[in-house]
Amino acid sequence: MLSSEQRGRVLVLAAKAAGDALVERLTASGYQCASTERETGLAEMVDQLQPEVVLLAVTAKRAAELLETVRKTDKLQRLPVLVDQGRARSAEAFKRLAVDDFVRGADELVPRLESALRAWRLKEREERIRMRMGMLLEITQAATSSLELEEILRIAVEKVGQVTGTDRCSVVLVEGSHARTATVVATQEDPSLVQLDIEVARYPELRRALETRQPVLIEEAQRDPLMAEVRTSLLPQGVKSILVQPLICQDDLLGALFLRVSKGEASIGRDEQEFAEAVAGVLANSIRNARLHTAVKKKREDMELAYVERYRELTDANRRLKELNRLKDEIIAVCSHDLRAPLQVLLGHGRLLLEGPLEAQQKQSAEAMIRQGRKILTLVESLLEKGKGEAARLSIEPRVLDVAQLCRDAVAELEILAAEKAVALRSECPDSLMLIGDEVKLHEVLQNLISNAIQHASEPGSVVVRTQRLSRPDGDAVRVMVSDNGVGIPPDELHLVFDRYRHGPKGTGLGLAICKEFVELHGGEIWAESPADGGCTFVFTLPLAQEAARNPRPQPAPGAAPEQPRVLVVEDEPEIAAVLSEVLRSKYRVEVARDGAEGLAKARASRPDLVVMDVFLPKLDGLDAAMALKSSSDTAHIPVILLSAHQGVADKVRALNLGAVDYMAKPFNAVELLNRTERALKLRQGDKEQQDKTNSLQRRTGSDPATGLLDRRGLLLRLEQEVARSRRYHRALTLAVLRPDRDLDAMPPNMGDVMRKRVRHPDSIAHLGLGVFAVVLPECNADAARTVINRLMPDVEKVTSIEYRAAMADVSQDSDPVEKLLEKLGAPPPEVH
């Protein structure tokens, strides 16, 4: 049987006799009741009973009066009101009353009360759910707003207290799962009581919740065993129930939501527990985000502080470096100046010796002394130039030289040193090999290499200096070899000898690093080899000077209005491009391109009379673009002037060797630019005879006039060069041959352009005749090369309308001759071409 608390609480408003009878009957049915007729003392009775339904058992007139009183009483105005009509003479008088139900007989009393109680309780439950959802929404909105965490928690405890009816609602935060102290950051009981540190051990319910990470509900604080140790402190406060809900987000324990009820009849039910759990999830996420934000903010502040500190350190270090650099410059300048004066005296006395009567051997020695003195003086001048500051850069002073004669002179100067070491020194440089370079620096390279060879040669030993002409598609080069018969260098140490900070066997020293630097300044390469028959050979290559065609430009027919020449300016910096355009438009028609690839495309499309091009360009630099122009029959006749802000570097030599007619340094003078442009235009070849000469030159350098690609001779030269480089530096090299299913009689005019679009700039393409093509892919293994060829073949088949087959292989470690490599991949023999 249900208890009176569970069945319901009924307030009976009736005369004493009738009220007592109703109370007796309802009490027997399990209800908790109280009865009165007068309005006086009604409030006290309501506070004591906490009724859930009101039953009127009076006359209609009196019922109207009591109903008005009920509707004015706060704790009664929302309760259902029933009228007992069993003692009334007429039921019509009650119909005007705004009540919830009527009891027409004794049998209906209990069923009507139960129905009214169920309806009221359901309504109350819906109202509580609606209120909880509204409060939870407000808490969520606050948690996701830009409010500070303290304000969010204050709002949350206030809303939770309103919903649950607790007399204390607090948020307690901890740092870590085993924290000994906690901090009260928000409380409903006293909003000003925040940032209060408490000991977790003094609150057993809080300690249990933090340890287990589970909610802890104390229904009866006075009887629960968990609260035994603190029960004496709870008695004066009248604490009845406690709920501790942990705050956990992504497995991080952040604190707890603490609820306490001290009212006599109130309790924490299932609805309050579910609401507290939902609120705890929202608050835990907000607290974690706030902590992350605080951590990030602190990290940013620490980084800013470290940046400022580091900036100060770097500023101070930069100041000290500048001071040290100034002292270094002063020392270099003083030393250079103090060295120059004695050298001038020595050279003066050397010249006086030469003017006097000397024997042949003495004269040769005096000349060698003067020659070396001049070299030292030149080096001192260079050192003095460097002493001017950081702006000075390593440069060369180019002029036309015979490298073979340079080798012979170096050998002659070092014969005495070789004789002292019992080393036979000789040169094998019969041919004249002209190049554009710096005599002092190349002379130093030769002297360093020959001196090292003499030092490491066996006793008695030999050192040989040889020169050899190399034919290349981009212009002939010279190979200089300095060989000795010493112990040699282990293969795994060959790459170390030019390192400025690591020395090879017996300490080859800093001289070889300087040699490498000087050779690369001239656009060459240098390396060391260990021949199979012993000893060591140092090899370097330099581009040879090429003759530029200098036929005068044909004059226009008499009476015809001369047409302004067209000049293509290729410059990536807008300001410089604008200046060039303005200067040149005074005499020429000007078109502008912004990078090397665009300039190359416009030159091929419009065939200008002159190209003025920067060296350092995006996508394709000026040197490579100049080489591409000169390697194509359609654009080989176009003169090119190259510009660069780098004065005196190897680009000047390379530019002239690649076919550029002139090389200008930035900043330039407008009058000088116009003069050089006019001079370059006079060199342009405009007639058929010169075009034939150009085609002949292309064939001589290994180019195919029909496609602008390499021919068989050019391919063999390029392939030999790439194979040597790949073996020397242990890099991949793939060779591919594309063969058509049938012979290609007529070559499409744009075949070269079509194929170049699908390969990288370092790759080389050759036409071997009858539609057979070969592609050289440096630093590309077979798998990567297959991707390139598969991308290229559809374009070739589309242009030629013929199906192609491809064969390819990595030839970097293949020891066969290059002609044999082509043959193995199915290339036709030379007779077919």
Side-chain angles (χ1 to χ4, degrees):
M1 183 176 179
L2 296 175
S3 66
S4 58
E5 180 67 24
Q6 295 172 323
R7 196 71 186 266
R9 298 182 298 276
V10 183
L11 176 63
V12 180
L13 299 180
K16 182 170 177 44
D20 292 342
L22 286 171
V23 168
E24 182 180 357
R25 182 177 179 183
L26 291 174
T27 302
S29 299
Y31 292 92
Q32 185 179 351
C33 302
S35 175
T36 185
E37 183 183 10
R38 298 188 298 271
E39 288 85 347
T40 57
L42 181 62
E44 291 79 4
M45 183 177 292
V46 169
D47 289 338
Q48 185 177 1
L49 179 63
Q50 296 292 322
E52 296 176 283
V53 64
V54 178
L55 177 62
L56 299 178
V58 293
T59 63
K61 182 178 179 181
R62 182 60 179 158
E65 295 173 355
L66 291 174
L67 183 61
E68 184 178 357
T69 301
V70 168
R71 297 309 184 196
K72 291 181 180 180
T73 305
D74 292 338
K75 296 184 178 181
L76 298 178
Q77 59 185 0
R78 297 179 65 250
L79 299 181
V81 178
L82 279 71
V83 174
D84 184 4
Q85 297 178 344
R87 295 173 177 81
R89 298 177 182 176
S90 172
E92 295 295 328
F94 290 100
K95 291 184 179 180
R96 295 188 296 271
L97 296 177
V99 295
D100 296 280
D101 203 355
F102 297 93
V103 180
R104 296 176 178 83
D107 297 338
E108 292 185 358
L109 180 61
V110 172
R112 294 287 182 179
L113 282 175
E114 289 182 351
S115 176
L117 282 169
R118 282 197 302 270
W120 181 79
R121 287 171 178 173
L122 181 60
K123 181 180 178 181
E124 284 294 301
R125 179 176 175 79
E126 292 176 351
E127 186 65 26
R128 287 196 300 271
I129 292 174
R130 187 179 301 108
M131 181 179 66
R132 290 192 184 101
M133 295 299 293
M135 292 296 186
L136 183 61
L137 178 61
E138 292 182 20
I139 293 172
T140 303
Q141 289 175 341
T144 55
S145 67
S146 58
L147 294 175
E148 296 292 335
L149 179 62
E150 290 77 6
E151 181 64 16
I152 294 173
L153 298 179
R154 186 193 65 76
I155 294 173
V157 297
E158 180 183 342
K159 301 296 182 184
V160 172
Q162 292 178 13
V163 171
T164 59
T166 55
D167 57 290
R168 174 178 288 183
C169 176
S170 304
V171 175
V172 181
L173 299 185
V174 295
E175 294 289 343
S177 302
H178 305 287
R180 295 184 178 182
T181 60
T183 303
V184 179
V185 293
T187 181
Q188 168 202 13
E189 187 178 25
D190 185 358
S192 63
L193 192 64
V194 295
Q195 302 303 323
L196 175 65
D197 293 334
I198 60 175
E199 295 183 12
V200 176
R202 297 180 58 185
Y203 298 86
E205 71 281 15
L206 176 61
R207 183 177 67 242
R208 172 74 62 82
L210 296 178
E211 289 176 351
T212 62
R213 296 192 172 202
Q214 297 294 328
V216 173
L217 176 62
I218 308 296
E219 295 183 354
E220 294 293 338
Q222 304 300 332
R223 294 195 295 269
D224 197 300
L226 180 63
M227 309 300 292
E229 57 185 287
V230 294
R231 187 167 293 136
T232 55
S233 62
L234 295 178
L235 287 174
Q237 303 178 37
V239 178
K240 180 182 179 183
S241 300
I242 297 175
L243 173 64
V244 183
Q245 178 68 45
L247 302 176
I248 300 175
C249 182
Q250 296 187 8
D251 203 38
D252 290 339
L253 179 63
L254 307 173
L257 179 63
F258 183 90
L259 302 178
R260 188 189 73 181
V261 176
S262 301
K263 298 176 183 178
E265 300 297 331
S267 64
I268 300 175
R270 182 61 187 168
D271 292 342
E272 286 75 15
Q273 295 177 46
E274 293 177 352
F275 180 70
E277 183 179 1
V279 172
V282 175
L283 295 183
N285 187 65
S286 182
I287 292 168
R288 184 174 184 274
N289 290 340
R291 286 186 174 182
L292 290 176
H293 176 73
T294 302
V296 170
K297 183 178 179 181
K298 185 177 184 304
K299 185 67 174 177
R300 183 182 62 191
E301 291 174 352
D302 292 344
M303 290 181 65
E304 290 177 352
L305 184 62
Y307 171 79
V308 172
E309 187 65 26
R310 184 60 174 164
Y311 179 78
R312 290 173 180 169
E313 292 176 1
L314 291 175
T315 302
D316 187 55
N318 188 47
R319 180 188 57 78
R320 293 195 301 270
L321 286 174
K322 286 183 177 179
E323 180 65 19
L324 291 173
N325 188 62
R326 185 185 63 79
L327 292 175
K328 180 263 297 180
D329 292 341
E330 290 181 359
I331 292 172
I332 291 177
V334 170
C335 292
S336 300
H337 183 272
D338 291 347
L339 285 172
R340 185 167 51 178
L343 280 172
Q344 295 286 5
V345 174
L346 289 175
L347 289 175
H349 284 282
R351 285 191 292 269
L352 289 176
L353 283 175
L354 281 178
E355 293 175 0
L358 295 175
E359 297 179 1
Q361 183 65 32
Q362 293 174 335
K363 184 176 182 181
Q364 183 179 0
S365 297
E367 289 175 347
M369 291 171 56
I370 292 175
R371 190 162 50 247
Q372 292 303 310
R374 287 173 178 168
K375 176 187 174 184
I376 295 174
L377 182 60
T378 304
L379 293 175
V380 170
E381 295 286 353
S382 176
L383 186 62
L384 183 59
E385 184 67 22
K386 289 183 180 180
K388 294 179 180 177
E390 293 182 357
R393 62 177 71 239
L394 193 62
S395 61
I396 61 175
E397 295 298 330
R399 67 184 186 86
V400 178
L401 302 171
D402 184 354
V403 70
Q405 182 62 44
L406 211 60
C407 292
R408 291 191 291 268
D409 291 343
V411 167
E413 292 169 0
L414 295 173
E415 281 181 348
I416 297 177
L417 177 62
E420 293 176 354
K421 296 282 188 179
V423 174
L425 175 62
R426 70 180 190 276
S427 63
E428 297 178 1
C429 311
D431 298 330
S432 177
L433 299 167
M434 308 304 293
L435 55 76
I436 301 175
D438 189 310
E439 181 179 6
V440 174
K441 289 182 172 56
L442 293 180
H443 194 274
E444 184 173 351
V445 171
L446 288 168
Q447 280 208 330
N448 282 337
L449 295 180
I450 297 172
S451 299
N452 278 335
I454 294 173
Q455 179 182 354
H456 294 94
S458 302
E459 294 184 9
S462 65
V463 174
V464 183
V465 181
R466 299 182 180 90
T467 56
Q468 178 186 1
R469 180 185 288 271
L470 299 177
S471 296
R472 291 179 175 176
D474 56 348
D476 291 352
V478 59
R479 174 187 291 166
V480 181
M481 296 161 285
V482 180
S483 304
D484 64 68
N485 66 339
V487 296
I489 301 175
D492 58 342
E493 296 184 9
L494 287 174
H495 64 287
L496 300 178
V497 296
F498 297 101
D499 195 325
R500 188 175 289 269
Y501 304 105
R502 296 179 65 183
H503 296 161
K506 298 184 182 179
T508 51
L510 195 60
L512 291 178
I514 296 175
C515 291
K516 182 175 185 294
E517 189 176 65
F518 286 175
V519 169
E520 291 178 349
L521 274 174
H522 287 77
E525 292 180 286
I526 186 170
W527 65 92
E529 297 177 349
S530 288
D533 55 352
C536 181
T537 300
F538 283 86
V539 186
F540 66 92
T541 61
L542 297 172
L544 291 175
Q546 299 181 17
E547 294 184 2
R550 299 183 178 274
N551 286 1
R553 190 181 180 196
Q555 298 297 323
E563 184 180 3
Q564 281 189 324
R566 292 176 295 112
V567 178
L568 173 62
V569 174
V570 187
E571 172 61 61
D572 61 320
E573 296 185 20
E575 296 82 1
I576 298 179
V579 172
L580 287 169
S581 300
E582 288 299 320
V583 172
L584 295 173
R585 280 199 179 99
S586 61
K587 299 179 66 176
Y588 313 106
R589 291 178 294 164
V590 180
E591 187 177 3
V592 179
R594 298 301 183 188
D595 57 64
E598 181 186 357
L600 186 60
K602 286 188 175 182
R604 288 171 175 167
S606 61
R607 313 285 175 82
D609 297 290
L610 176 68
V611 175
V612 178
M613 181 160 49
D614 189 15
V615 170
F616 298 98
L617 293 170
K619 297 184 180 179
L620 185 68
D621 67 41
L623 298 175
D624 293 333
M627 178 178 172
L629 289 174
K630 294 303 174 183
S631 64
S632 174
S633 59
D634 298 334
T635 55
H637 61 283
I638 302 176
V640 178
I641 297 178
L642 289 175
L643 306 175
S644 176
H646 293 249
Q647 303 183 23
V649 295
D651 294 332
K652 183 171 184 178
V653 179
R654 287 188 60 199
L656 298 177
N657 286 333
L658 289 174
V661 297
D662 207 343
Y663 186 98
M664 289 185 62
K666 299 178 184 177
F668 51 83
N669 181 276
V671 175
E672 181 185 7
L673 175 63
L674 290 174
N675 291 337
R676 295 202 183 191
T677 302
E678 184 65 27
R679 184 176 64 185
L681 285 171
K682 291 179 180 179
L683 302 176
R684 190 180 187 279
Q685 299 81 26
D687 54 12
K688 183 65 171 64
E689 179 182 356
Q690 185 58 43
Q691 185 65 39
D692 293 340
K693 290 182 179 179
T694 303
N695 290 342
S696 175
L697 178 62
Q698 284 186 314
R699 293 189 184 94
R700 181 176 64 83
T701 58
S703 296
D704 176 26
T707 60
L709 304 173
L710 296 175
D711 60 10
R712 192 181 193 91
R713 178 175 178 272
L715 172 67
L716 294 177
L717 293 172
R718 176 60 63 86
L719 185 56
E720 183 178 0
Q721 177 183 355
E722 293 296 344
V723 167
R725 183 179 287 113
S726 67
R727 292 172 184 169
R728 185 162 65 248
Y729 298 114
H730 303 286
R731 297 171 180 170
L733 174 67
T734 301
L735 175 64
V737 174
L738 282 63
R739 292 180 59 93
D741 287 345
R742 55 184 174 83
D743 293 342
L744 183 63
D745 298 328
M747 180 62 62
N750 61 336
M751 194 68 202
D753 294 336
V754 170
M755 299 191 73
R756 288 191 192 95
K757 290 179 181 178
R758 291 297 186 181
V759 298
R760 306 168 303 165
H761 172 65
D763 303 335
S764 303
I765 309 174
H767 178 218
L768 304 182
L770 301 178
V772 179
F773 297 97
V775 184
V776 181
L777 302 158
E779 300 186 22
C780 188
N781 57 34
D783 292 337
R786 189 170 292 105
T787 302
V788 175
I789 299 302
N790 290 340
R791 190 171 62 235
L792 173 63
M793 284 184 59
D795 293 344
V796 176
E797 292 175 344
K798 181 179 179 181
V799 174
T800 60
S801 301
I802 299 176
E803 292 187 1
Y804 270 77
R805 291 168 294 153
M808 65 194 73
D810 187 337
V811 298
S812 58
Q813 302 304 319
D814 199 323
S815 59
D816 287 336
V818 291
E819 189 70 65
K820 184 67 174 179
L821 297 177
L822 286 171
E823 182 182 343
K824 288 197 295 188
L825 292 176
E831 295 77 22
V832 175
H833 180 56

